[in-house]
Amino acid sequence: MKVDVLLGLQWGDEGKGKIVDVLAPRYDVVARFQGGPNAGHTLEFDGIKHVLHQIPSGIFRSKTRNVIGNGVVLDPIVFQTEIGKLSKYNLDVRSNLFISKKATLIIPTHRLLDQAQEKAKGDDKIGSTLKGIGPSYQDKIGRQGLRVGDVLSPSFREKFNKLVNVHMEILKLHDVSFDWPELEKAFMDAVKFLKTFNLIDSEYFLNQELSAGSTILAEGAQGSLLDIDFGSYPFVTSSNTVTAGACTGLGIAPRHIGEVYGIFKAYSTRVGSGPFPTELLNEEGEALRKEGNEFGSTTGRPRRCGWIDIPSLKYSIMINGVTQLLMMKADVLSIFPSIKACVRYQLADGKVTDQVPYELIHERITPIYEELKGWNCNLKGLNEKELPIELVHYVEFLEAQLGVPISLISTGPDRKETIHRFKK
Ligand code: GDP
Ligand code: IMO
Ligand code: MG
């Protein structure tokens, strides 16, 4: 058996949560491989709307086991709150959720450092979710981080104090106010709670599942254009959000990777700072935000909106080895009589390219658009055969541009509002 990977091709919020939940019944295991509480993955079904942050989006499917992998940065306080919010659904979370001992812990000072670092950047701020992501990955790479498995050690408190002291020295240089005894107590309570869950050697768990013939879906967080290596650096997150991140974030060898599902919105959005060539700073952008309800699932911030960006999608498809595309939010484009798609960029020196330039940040990019006729009709309840011809043309146009089949079209936030075109 292989591990299929589902990940975002844009700047996050493509609809990963919805589709992992839709596909989860086909899989024995769903595993998150990077990111942490910066993610907000929304699921809608049976009149319920629920946002997950660190817990994999297979959790509502009773036969699917869920793994938080070693590549994740886990905040125990957020974890406790998330579990609390799930309690009303009567799920068997304790038997269906497994957490890697090698996942990195986010401690309260990481969140304070995130605030301090962003404040110090002034106008150049990343627009971080302030969940402590950057500082916790810094400590991981700096070889001084704490890991989930450490909570089982008798010397955990000592290790924790040592790291807190390092952080406090840095925080002294910044103007951040906090009530440490309160933060520390909340963290220690949450650690006690975390210890009551299945803390496992997830790399063994997953490889044994593979050997036993189980099917596994790796769930990405953020999007490829926020990847630490390939995103619009420095306006990125601090992890590898691409397919390779599933290998390092789960302990899965590259030869075990199967399908790579690349998920994208039928247009583009971005939350936080950084370049966005097709951003619409006009009433069309406003209309997309309103119709698509484009407000962050984690922070509530309004998302920046624009037309679809084919050069950047091609780039993401290349880096990830995408085998099938999943197109989300087709219904949102129904408001427009015509739709634009950026097919190439014109750079400041007049050069036209379909590649993403190194200096995306400082390069003045003028998108070159192709205009397509819109469908201007309600897609609710339609099946594949009933789709308006203009939408079929949009899908065929994207498939031809991107060279990868579109295997799923999403026409609304609910599980049921999903058109499957999978070949297998
Ligand atoms: P994720 O981070 O990739 O899981 O995506 P988010 O949950 O942050 O953002 C996607 C938003 O779009 C959520 O509010 C979803 O409920 C919603 N959504 C997902 N698919 C569709 C769709 O096809 N149409 C519409 N209108 N909304 C959708
Ligand atoms: P999901 O999984 C959209 C953005 C932030 C900021 C940058 C760095 O829901 O798609 P960080 O908190 O990681 O230091 O922020 O990345 N960002 C996201 N944008 N969706 C997300 O996750 C995001 N996670 C982080 O807005 O610009
Ligand atoms: Mg999200």
PDB file of all heavy atoms in Angstrom, residues 190-215:
ATOM      1  N   ALA A 190      -2.475  21.420  30.874  1.00  0.00           N
ATOM      2  CA  ALA A 190      -2.685  20.854  29.537  1.00  0.00           C
ATOM      3  C   ALA A 190      -1.739  19.685  29.266  1.00  0.00           C
ATOM      4  O   ALA A 190      -2.105  18.709  28.605  1.00  0.00           O
ATOM      5  CB  ALA A 190      -2.515  21.941  28.477  1.00  0.00           C
ATOM      6  N   VAL A 191      -0.526  19.763  29.811  1.00  0.00           N
ATOM      7  CA  VAL A 191       0.438  18.656  29.643  1.00  0.00           C
ATOM      8  C   VAL A 191      -0.080  17.408  30.357  1.00  0.00           C
ATOM      9  O   VAL A 191       0.001  16.285  29.835  1.00  0.00           O
ATOM     10  CB  VAL A 191       1.840  19.080  30.163  1.00  0.00           C
ATOM     11  CG1 VAL A 191       2.729  17.870  30.396  1.00  0.00           C
ATOM     12  CG2 VAL A 191       2.488  20.041  29.170  1.00  0.00           C
ATOM     13  N   LYS A 192      -0.638  17.620  31.541  1.00  0.00           N
ATOM     14  CA  LYS A 192      -1.212  16.508  32.313  1.00  0.00           C
ATOM     15  C   LYS A 192      -2.320  15.832  31.479  1.00  0.00           C
ATOM     16  O   LYS A 192      -2.404  14.600  31.402  1.00  0.00           O
ATOM     17  CB  LYS A 192      -1.804  17.079  33.614  1.00  0.00           C
ATOM     18  CG  LYS A 192      -1.857  16.106  34.738  1.00  0.00           C
ATOM     19  CD  LYS A 192      -2.111  16.861  36.035  1.00  0.00           C
ATOM     20  CE  LYS A 192      -2.896  15.974  36.975  1.00  0.00           C
ATOM     21  NZ  LYS A 192      -3.540  16.719  38.037  1.00  0.00           N
ATOM     22  N   PHE A 193      -3.115  16.660  30.836  1.00  0.00           N
ATOM     23  CA  PHE A 193      -4.210  16.165  29.992  1.00  0.00           C
ATOM     24  C   PHE A 193      -3.645  15.404  28.783  1.00  0.00           C
ATOM     25  O   PHE A 193      -4.085  14.299  28.461  1.00  0.00           O
ATOM     26  CB  PHE A 193      -5.036  17.374  29.534  1.00  0.00           C
ATOM     27  CG  PHE A 193      -6.207  17.043  28.663  1.00  0.00           C
ATOM     28  CD1 PHE A 193      -7.347  16.457  29.197  1.00  0.00           C
ATOM     29  CD2 PHE A 193      -6.186  17.328  27.305  1.00  0.00           C
ATOM     30  CE1 PHE A 193      -8.441  16.152  28.390  1.00  0.00           C
ATOM     31  CE2 PHE A 193      -7.271  17.026  26.493  1.00  0.00           C
ATOM     32  CZ  PHE A 193      -8.400  16.435  27.038  1.00  0.00           C
ATOM     33  N   LEU A 194      -2.623  15.992  28.165  1.00  0.00           N
ATOM     34  CA  LEU A 194      -2.000  15.364  26.976  1.00  0.00           C
ATOM     35  C   LEU A 194      -1.475  13.965  27.305  1.00  0.00           C
ATOM     36  O   LEU A 194      -1.574  13.043  26.490  1.00  0.00           O
ATOM     37  CB  LEU A 194      -0.865  16.275  26.486  1.00  0.00           C
ATOM     38  CG  LEU A 194      -0.053  15.813  25.284  1.00  0.00           C
ATOM     39  CD1 LEU A 194      -0.921  15.757  24.029  1.00  0.00           C
ATOM     40  CD2 LEU A 194       1.136  16.758  25.041  1.00  0.00           C
ATOM     41  N   LYS A 195      -0.938  13.822  28.521  1.00  0.00           N
ATOM     42  CA  LYS A 195      -0.344  12.535  28.920  1.00  0.00           C
ATOM     43  C   LYS A 195      -1.348  11.399  28.956  1.00  0.00           C
ATOM     44  O   LYS A 195      -0.976  10.227  28.956  1.00  0.00           O
ATOM     45  CB  LYS A 195       0.299  12.668  30.311  1.00  0.00           C
ATOM     46  CG  LYS A 195       1.692  13.266  30.264  1.00  0.00           C
ATOM     47  CD  LYS A 195       2.123  13.770  31.620  1.00  0.00           C
ATOM     48  CE  LYS A 195       2.896  12.780  32.439  1.00  0.00           C
ATOM     49  NZ  LYS A 195       3.529  13.468  33.606  1.00  0.00           N
ATOM     50  N   THR A 196      -2.642  11.744  29.010  1.00  0.00           N
ATOM     51  CA  THR A 196      -3.666  10.699  29.080  1.00  0.00           C
ATOM     52  C   THR A 196      -4.026  10.161  27.687  1.00  0.00           C
ATOM     53  O   THR A 196      -4.864   9.278  27.556  1.00  0.00           O
ATOM     54  CB  THR A 196      -4.951  11.227  29.765  1.00  0.00           C
ATOM     55  OG1 THR A 196      -5.513  12.266  28.940  1.00  0.00           O
ATOM     56  CG2 THR A 196      -4.663  11.771  31.150  1.00  0.00           C
ATOM     57  N   PHE A 197      -3.400  10.709  26.638  1.00  0.00           N
ATOM     58  CA  PHE A 197      -3.681  10.246  25.264  1.00  0.00           C
ATOM     59  C   PHE A 197      -2.624   9.238  24.793  1.00  0.00           C
ATOM     60  O   PHE A 197      -1.638   8.997  25.480  1.00  0.00           O
ATOM     61  CB  PHE A 197      -3.747  11.460  24.324  1.00  0.00           C
ATOM     62  CG  PHE A 197      -5.068  12.165  24.429  1.00  0.00           C
ATOM     63  CD1 PHE A 197      -5.344  13.002  25.503  1.00  0.00           C
ATOM     64  CD2 PHE A 197      -6.066  11.932  23.492  1.00  0.00           C
ATOM     65  CE1 PHE A 197      -6.577  13.607  25.632  1.00  0.00           C
ATOM     66  CE2 PHE A 197      -7.305  12.541  23.610  1.00  0.00           C
ATOM     67  CZ  PHE A 197      -7.559  13.382  24.682  1.00  0.00           C
ATOM     68  N   ASN A 198      -2.854   8.665  23.613  1.00  0.00           N
ATOM     69  CA  ASN A 198      -1.911   7.695  23.042  1.00  0.00           C
ATOM     70  C   ASN A 198      -0.704   8.423  22.478  1.00  0.00           C
ATOM     71  O   ASN A 198      -0.775   8.976  21.378  1.00  0.00           O
ATOM     72  CB  ASN A 198      -2.562   6.939  21.873  1.00  0.00           C
ATOM     73  CG  ASN A 198      -3.691   6.059  22.315  1.00  0.00           C
ATOM     74  OD1 ASN A 198      -3.515   5.215  23.186  1.00  0.00           O
ATOM     75  ND2 ASN A 198      -4.865   6.247  21.715  1.00  0.00           N
ATOM     76  N   LEU A 199       0.399   8.429  23.211  1.00  0.00           N
ATOM     77  CA  LEU A 199       1.631   9.049  22.713  1.00  0.00           C
ATOM     78  C   LEU A 199       2.490   7.919  22.152  1.00  0.00           C
ATOM     79  O   LEU A 199       2.852   6.985  22.872  1.00  0.00           O
ATOM     80  CB  LEU A 199       2.356   9.791  23.842  1.00  0.00           C
ATOM     81  CG  LEU A 199       1.482  10.750  24.673  1.00  0.00           C
ATOM     82  CD1 LEU A 199       2.325  11.493  25.710  1.00  0.00           C
ATOM     83  CD2 LEU A 199       0.734  11.755  23.793  1.00  0.00           C
ATOM     84  N   ILE A 200       2.784   7.977  20.869  1.00  0.00           N
ATOM     85  CA  ILE A 200       3.349   6.786  20.203  1.00  0.00           C
ATOM     86  C   ILE A 200       4.614   7.100  19.391  1.00  0.00           C
ATOM     87  O   ILE A 200       4.915   8.248  19.099  1.00  0.00           O
ATOM     88  CB  ILE A 200       2.307   6.150  19.246  1.00  0.00           C
ATOM     89  CG1 ILE A 200       1.923   7.152  18.135  1.00  0.00           C
ATOM     90  CG2 ILE A 200       1.084   5.672  20.006  1.00  0.00           C
ATOM     91  CD1 ILE A 200       1.259   6.512  16.950  1.00  0.00           C
ATOM     92  N   ASP A 201       5.299   6.033  19.004  1.00  0.00           N
ATOM     93  CA  ASP A 201       6.392   6.133  18.032  1.00  0.00           C
ATOM     94  C   ASP A 201       5.715   6.055  16.664  1.00  0.00           C
ATOM     95  O   ASP A 201       5.567   4.980  16.078  1.00  0.00           O
ATOM     96  CB  ASP A 201       7.381   4.980  18.232  1.00  0.00           C
ATOM     97  CG  ASP A 201       8.082   5.094  19.586  1.00  0.00           C
ATOM     98  OD1 ASP A 201       8.568   6.201  19.902  1.00  0.00           O
ATOM     99  OD2 ASP A 201       8.117   4.103  20.327  1.00  0.00           O
ATOM    100  N   SER A 202       5.299   7.217  16.165  1.00  0.00           N
ATOM    101  CA  SER A 202       4.394   7.228  15.011  1.00  0.00           C
ATOM    102  C   SER A 202       5.037   6.691  13.741  1.00  0.00           C
ATOM    103  O   SER A 202       4.354   6.160  12.866  1.00  0.00           O
ATOM    104  CB  SER A 202       3.856   8.640  14.785  1.00  0.00           C
ATOM    105  OG  SER A 202       4.919   9.538  14.618  1.00  0.00           O
ATOM    106  N   GLU A 203       6.375   6.804  13.628  1.00  0.00           N
ATOM    107  CA  GLU A 203       7.022   6.286  12.412  1.00  0.00           C
ATOM    108  C   GLU A 203       6.896   4.762  12.343  1.00  0.00           C
ATOM    109  O   GLU A 203       6.675   4.197  11.275  1.00  0.00           O
ATOM    110  CB  GLU A 203       8.479   6.764  12.301  1.00  0.00           C
ATOM    111  CG  GLU A 203       9.442   6.313  13.393  1.00  0.00           C
ATOM    112  CD  GLU A 203       9.369   7.153  14.684  1.00  0.00           C
ATOM    113  OE1 GLU A 203       8.277   7.622  15.030  1.00  0.00           O
ATOM    114  OE2 GLU A 203      10.399   7.298  15.365  1.00  0.00           O
ATOM    115  N   TYR A 204       6.991   4.102  13.503  1.00  0.00           N
ATOM    116  CA  TYR A 204       6.780   2.645  13.530  1.00  0.00           C
ATOM    117  C   TYR A 204       5.310   2.322  13.262  1.00  0.00           C
ATOM    118  O   TYR A 204       4.977   1.432  12.487  1.00  0.00           O
ATOM    119  CB  TYR A 204       7.204   2.057  14.881  1.00  0.00           C
ATOM    120  CG  TYR A 204       8.693   1.801  14.972  1.00  0.00           C
ATOM    121  CD1 TYR A 204       9.495   2.543  15.821  1.00  0.00           C
ATOM    122  CD2 TYR A 204       9.296   0.809  14.186  1.00  0.00           C
ATOM    123  CE1 TYR A 204      10.860   2.323  15.902  1.00  0.00           C
ATOM    124  CE2 TYR A 204      10.656   0.587  14.259  1.00  0.00           C
ATOM    125  CZ  TYR A 204      11.437   1.339  15.110  1.00  0.00           C
ATOM    126  OH  TYR A 204      12.778   1.112  15.164  1.00  0.00           O
ATOM    127  N   PHE A 205       4.443   3.057  13.940  1.00  0.00           N
ATOM    128  CA  PHE A 205       3.002   2.849  13.797  1.00  0.00           C
ATOM    129  C   PHE A 205       2.611   2.906  12.313  1.00  0.00           C
ATOM    130  O   PHE A 205       1.970   1.999  11.778  1.00  0.00           O
ATOM    131  CB  PHE A 205       2.262   3.929  14.598  1.00  0.00           C
ATOM    132  CG  PHE A 205       0.762   3.891  14.489  1.00  0.00           C
ATOM    133  CD1 PHE A 205      -0.009   3.218  15.427  1.00  0.00           C
ATOM    134  CD2 PHE A 205       0.094   4.551  13.454  1.00  0.00           C
ATOM    135  CE1 PHE A 205      -1.403   3.205  15.339  1.00  0.00           C
ATOM    136  CE2 PHE A 205      -1.290   4.533  13.355  1.00  0.00           C
ATOM    137  CZ  PHE A 205      -2.038   3.858  14.302  1.00  0.00           C
ATOM    138  N   LEU A 206       3.036   3.961  11.631  1.00  0.00           N
ATOM    139  CA  LEU A 206       2.611   4.163  10.233  1.00  0.00           C
ATOM    140  C   LEU A 206       3.226   3.124   9.302  1.00  0.00           C
ATOM    141  O   LEU A 206       2.553   2.595   8.407  1.00  0.00           O
ATOM    142  CB  LEU A 206       2.976   5.581   9.779  1.00  0.00           C
ATOM    143  CG  LEU A 206       2.169   6.697  10.471  1.00  0.00           C
ATOM    144  CD1 LEU A 206       2.782   8.066  10.211  1.00  0.00           C
ATOM    145  CD2 LEU A 206       0.711   6.685   9.996  1.00  0.00           C
ATOM    146  N   ASN A 207       4.498   2.814   9.509  1.00  0.00           N
ATOM    147  CA  ASN A 207       5.131   1.820   8.629  1.00  0.00           C
ATOM    148  C   ASN A 207       4.575   0.426   8.872  1.00  0.00           C
ATOM    149  O   ASN A 207       4.446  -0.369   7.932  1.00  0.00           O
ATOM    150  CB  ASN A 207       6.658   1.887   8.770  1.00  0.00           C
ATOM    151  CG  ASN A 207       7.217   3.062   7.971  1.00  0.00           C
ATOM    152  OD1 ASN A 207       7.248   3.037   6.742  1.00  0.00           O
ATOM    153  ND2 ASN A 207       7.608   4.120   8.659  1.00  0.00           N
ATOM    154  N   GLN A 208       4.205   0.129  10.102  1.00  0.00           N
ATOM    155  CA  GLN A 208       3.570  -1.169  10.372  1.00  0.00           C
ATOM    156  C   GLN A 208       2.180  -1.221   9.734  1.00  0.00           C
ATOM    157  O   GLN A 208       1.786  -2.245   9.175  1.00  0.00           O
ATOM    158  CB  GLN A 208       3.492  -1.422  11.885  1.00  0.00           C
ATOM    159  CG  GLN A 208       4.813  -1.952  12.434  1.00  0.00           C
ATOM    160  CD  GLN A 208       4.980  -1.739  13.939  1.00  0.00           C
ATOM    161  OE1 GLN A 208       4.064  -1.306  14.634  1.00  0.00           O
ATOM    162  NE2 GLN A 208       6.171  -2.035  14.442  1.00  0.00           N
ATOM    163  N   GLU A 209       1.470  -0.101   9.789  1.00  0.00           N
ATOM    164  CA  GLU A 209       0.152  -0.042   9.123  1.00  0.00           C
ATOM    165  C   GLU A 209       0.314  -0.296   7.630  1.00  0.00           C
ATOM    166  O   GLU A 209      -0.453  -1.040   7.022  1.00  0.00           O
ATOM    167  CB  GLU A 209      -0.498   1.325   9.340  1.00  0.00           C
ATOM    168  CG  GLU A 209      -1.019   1.572  10.731  1.00  0.00           C
ATOM    169  CD  GLU A 209      -2.280   0.773  11.053  1.00  0.00           C
ATOM    170  OE1 GLU A 209      -2.992   0.383  10.115  1.00  0.00           O
ATOM    171  OE2 GLU A 209      -2.531   0.525  12.244  1.00  0.00           O
ATOM    172  N   LEU A 210       1.337   0.332   7.048  1.00  0.00           N
ATOM    173  CA  LEU A 210       1.581   0.152   5.611  1.00  0.00           C
ATOM    174  C   LEU A 210       1.858  -1.307   5.293  1.00  0.00           C
ATOM    175  O   LEU A 210       1.306  -1.869   4.338  1.00  0.00           O
ATOM    176  CB  LEU A 210       2.806   0.971   5.177  1.00  0.00           C
ATOM    177  CG  LEU A 210       2.593   2.389   4.705  1.00  0.00           C
ATOM    178  CD1 LEU A 210       3.914   2.988   4.249  1.00  0.00           C
ATOM    179  CD2 LEU A 210       1.573   2.447   3.558  1.00  0.00           C
ATOM    180  N   SER A 211       2.707  -1.929   6.090  1.00  0.00           N
ATOM    181  CA  SER A 211       3.054  -3.343   5.865  1.00  0.00           C
ATOM    182  C   SER A 211       1.819  -4.222   6.000  1.00  0.00           C
ATOM    183  O   SER A 211       1.693  -5.246   5.326  1.00  0.00           O
ATOM    184  CB  SER A 211       4.100  -3.826   6.866  1.00  0.00           C
ATOM    185  OG  SER A 211       5.193  -2.991   6.830  1.00  0.00           O
ATOM    186  N   ALA A 212       0.909  -3.817   6.877  1.00  0.00           N
ATOM    187  CA  ALA A 212      -0.294  -4.632   7.102  1.00  0.00           C
ATOM    188  C   ALA A 212      -1.357  -4.366   6.026  1.00  0.00           C
ATOM    189  O   ALA A 212      -2.445  -4.936   6.073  1.00  0.00           O
ATOM    190  CB  ALA A 212      -0.850  -4.321   8.486  1.00  0.00           C
ATOM    191  N   GLY A 213      -1.047  -3.466   5.075  1.00  0.00           N
ATOM    192  CA  GLY A 213      -1.983  -3.229   3.969  1.00  0.00           C
ATOM    193  C   GLY A 213      -2.983  -2.107   4.218  1.00  0.00           C
ATOM    194  O   GLY A 213      -3.953  -1.957   3.470  1.00  0.00           O
ATOM    195  N   SER A 214      -2.763  -1.303   5.255  1.00  0.00           N
ATOM    196  CA  SER A 214      -3.690  -0.194   5.522  1.00  0.00           C
ATOM    197  C   SER A 214      -3.487   0.928   4.509  1.00  0.00           C
ATOM    198  O   SER A 214      -2.403   1.097   3.961  1.00  0.00           O
ATOM    199  CB  SER A 214      -3.439   0.390   6.922  1.00  0.00           C
ATOM    200  OG  SER A 214      -3.721  -0.556   7.897  1.00  0.00           O
ATOM    201  N   THR A 215      -4.564   1.694   4.304  1.00  0.00           N
ATOM    202  CA  THR A 215      -4.461   2.873   3.438  1.00  0.00           C
ATOM    203  C   THR A 215      -4.270   4.104   4.324  1.00  0.00           C
ATOM    204  O   THR A 215      -4.905   4.235   5.369  1.00  0.00           O
ATOM    205  CB  THR A 215      -5.749   3.040   2.605  1.00  0.00           C
ATOM    206  OG1 THR A 215      -6.873   2.900   3.495  1.00  0.00           O
ATOM    207  CG2 THR A 215      -5.839   2.009   1.514  1.00  0.00           C
TER     208      THR A 215
END
